Amino acid sequence: MKILIAEDDAETGDYLRKGLTGEGHAVDLLRDGREALTQATAQSYDLFIFDRMMPSLDGLALLKALRAAQIATPAILLTAMGSVEDRVAGLRAGADDYMVKPFAFVELLARIDTIARRPALKAEVTELVQGDLRLDLLAREAWRDGQCIELQPREFMLLKHFMERPGRVQTKTILLEAIWDIHFDPKSSVVETHISRLRGKIDKPYATPYLTTLHGIGYVFEAS
């Protein structure tokens, strides 16, 4: 496998590179999260191994950025942070596995083998279509009834979230966690504000609305 390691601890990084190279893998080792982001988007890899705590961009933020860029390469997070909350945060950020330091190298190899045996991922989704609304995930553009709709980054993320879950109720808490990475209700109107702006762009100019507010419950996206 071609593996990208991002680990700022020199001893751990060299240990991993030497061990994995000895197992026949091709390994690139970087010690900075932002450099790893550039490398991961510029080249194709079979596996990422990221330390969670790194300078400039930590492993969690790095992984979220790659998933947002539609890079689905399997990833293992390495960290000294081993609480249930930390592991859940890592998995929700897009990690396929999560190992707490110190770890046994043979266990890491076993987990890599497990990932390697998984069936190949299905073809990458590049657009979402619901009714006459189309979302181009590569160009990051929205179109309805042949008209291009200009969306701000958060509005794009919000619409993508809804279009991937048609007919499913999305509560304010779900949206805060998914779009803003906020794991508590700050009693702010950020969700309501963005929903209003999004509705003004994708619904109000057209005869059929797609976004519905369920008062006291949340929101649902349904295309006719």
Side-chain angles (χ1 to χ4, degrees), residues 126-146:
T126 60
E127 72 173 15
L128 300 172
V129 179
Q130 297 289 340
D132 61 354
L133 180 62
R134 180 173 65 89
L135 198 63
D136 188 326
L137 301 179
L138 297 181
R140 300 186 71 80
E141 294 177 344
W143 297 77
R144 184 166 183 187
D145 195 26

Side-chain angles (χ1 to χ4, degrees), residues 1 22 37 41 55 68 70 72 86 96 99 109 115 119 126 162 174 179:
M1 300 177 74
L37 177 60
T41 53
Q70 303 298 312
D86 292 324
D96 295 82
M99 294 192 67
L109 289 179
I115 289 175
T126 60
F162 277 118
I174 289 174
I179 309 302

